[in-house]
Amino acid sequence: MPFLSADTARALAELVALDALDGHEGHDGHASNADDEADASALERLRGIRSLVAALEADPASLASVRESLRAGRTWEEIADAAGLSPSAAKYRWAGDDDEIAARHEASRKRKRERPSSVPTDLPGLSVAEAADRLGVTPQAIYQRVTRGLLRAETVELPDGRKYKRVFPEEPRPDEP
């Protein structure tokens, strides 16, 4: 019985078929068409590679192999090494029963959906790096000036929990007239 799922075996077979073609199809001697066909062939190969990677990531054969290795007395360090992961990443990915793994992965996906991947641009004041550039000093110098009371700074917390230190270099300190 094969250990790869049908989807993974299909993606592997498609990639092997593309590899066998090796860019030899469709060359009709016309330079412009040959370039277009070579590009399409390269794009097909890229799609085939990405399809296989996605199928392998989702294939239950990986989890089955991990569980079999654990039953055989292998350590998480050995499993992680074989998978090209750190031991903590391997445990995060494969430790526990199916329900625990699914809950952990869903929680991770939920966090990723809820947290934007970019820094907002509409925050008040300047970032520490922006203030340092404007004043011609290092970011460490900005923090020192804030600590000494020479610059006003605030930590701005967004509704999603992210926090940003913002500096207000052109405003007088609260104790100045």
Side-chain angles (χ1 to χ4, degrees):
M1 180 170 126
F3 66 90
L4 292 176
S5 71
D7 289 341
T8 302
R10 186 179 315 94
L12 179 59
E14 290 171 3
L15 191 59
V16 168
L18 285 173
D19 185 53
L21 293 175
D22 195 24
H24 295 298
E25 71 175 22
H27 293 283
D28 60 0
H30 295 90
S32 63
N33 288 344
D35 289 341
D36 291 344
E37 288 170 7
D39 289 344
S41 180
L43 289 175
E44 286 178 40
R45 289 191 308 266
L46 180 59
R47 285 186 188 100
I49 291 166
R50 296 304 309 154
S51 176
L52 178 59
V53 168
L56 285 168
E57 285 293 324
D59 198 307
S62 297
L63 179 57
S65 296
V66 167
R67 288 179 174 164
E68 186 178 331
S69 297
L70 289 170
R71 282 192 301 273
R74 298 297 185 165
T75 66
W76 280 110
E77 289 75 19
E78 291 172 305
I79 292 168
D81 182 59
L85 299 170
S86 69
S88 62
K91 286 179 188 176
Y92 181 83
R93 186 176 289 190
W94 295 308
D97 63 25
D98 291 348
D99 291 338
E100 292 170 334
I101 293 170
R104 203 168 39 246
H105 289 210
E106 179 56 33
S108 178
R109 282 190 291 274
K110 184 178 178 186
R111 281 192 304 275
K112 288 177 185 173
R113 283 192 304 266
E114 291 174 355
R115 283 185 87 112
S117 61
S118 61
V119 176
T121 57
D122 57 346
L123 295 174
L126 302 173
S127 70
V128 172
E130 293 166 340
D133 285 344
R134 181 175 288 181
L135 298 175
V137 298
T138 65
Q140 291 80 10
I142 296 296
Y143 285 113
Q144 288 174 344
R145 291 179 184 187
V146 169
T147 301
R148 293 177 184 151
L150 301 174
L151 284 175
R152 184 173 77 85
E154 294 177 11
T155 300
V156 177
E157 184 171 357
L158 300 181
D160 63 8
R162 291 180 293 161
K163 296 180 182 180
Y164 296 93
K165 178 71 76 178
R166 303 303 289 183
V167 180
F168 302 88
E170 294 160 4
E171 295 181 13
R173 293 189 328 248
D175 58 345
E176 291 182 351

